[in-house]
Amino acid sequence: MLTRDPKYRAFPQDTMFVVPPRGKASPEIDELWMQEALRAAQRALEAGEVPVGAVVVHGGKIVGRGYNRNLSDSDPTAHAEVVALREAGAAIGNHRLGDCELFATIEPCAMCAGALVHSRIRRLVYGADDPKAGAVHSVMRVLNHPGVNHHMEVRGGVLAGRCAELLQEFFRARRGR
Ligand SMILES: [Zn+2]
């Protein structure tokens, strides 16, 4: 069942249809998991990769963790979210992650949003919007598209300042080089 949830104010210009939460998601717990995603992003930064991080949470613990590894793996698909989803699938032993939540520091791109739909994930929480590639609502809408069967709960804007700051630091440093 889809409802308009007034809580999701991260999308002021565009009310999202969201699936009502089943578990006990709380803003404080979301921030704790986002801290973990930020820690992963920090590792990407240290490796000279675009600092994006993600974690997959299942039953109150992390089952997948990822950060961008495009350069280190010479892999155009090695975005943080995809890396975390692969690890979670292997940990759980299932390609469907219906009881999981994914926390990403940045709004997922079209590829990652597609992967999230394929994983049947229950909930996505992300930090900063990505005005260049975001596929939740910024550039296009892949998640919760009316034509797509699987809908998930989405919350954006969690620790958005810190998430965006990491990226800005990275691009600033690169320009200065
Ligand atoms: Zn991506």
Side-chain angles (χ1 to χ4, degrees), residues 133-144:
V136 175
H137 73 126
S138 291
V139 175
M140 64 194 111
R141 180 189 281 199
V142 173
L143 291 189
N144 297 345

Side-chain angles (χ1 to χ4, degrees), residues 43-123:
R43 290 187 59 185
L45 187 69
E46 285 155 17
E49 302 270 2
V50 177
V52 179
V55 294
V56 177
V57 173
H58 174 75
K61 55 175 206 263
I62 293 176
V63 292
R65 202 185 289 266
Y67 58 87
N68 273 20
R69 314 186 40 92
N70 300 91
L71 299 174
S72 18
D73 291 358
S74 301
D75 180 355
T77 71
H79 283 186
E81 299 93 318
V82 169
V83 174
L85 286 173
R86 283 192 182 133
E87 196 175 292
I92 289 173
N94 197 330
H95 66 124
R96 301 293 195 212
L97 304 172
D99 290 329
C100 297
E101 299 167 280
L102 184 135
F103 294 77
T105 56
I106 304 297
E107 179 184 1
C109 71
M111 175 185 72
C112 293
L116 284 164
V117 172
H118 285 297
S119 77
R120 304 287 188 268
I121 208 142
R122 184 175 72 76
R123 183 166 183 259

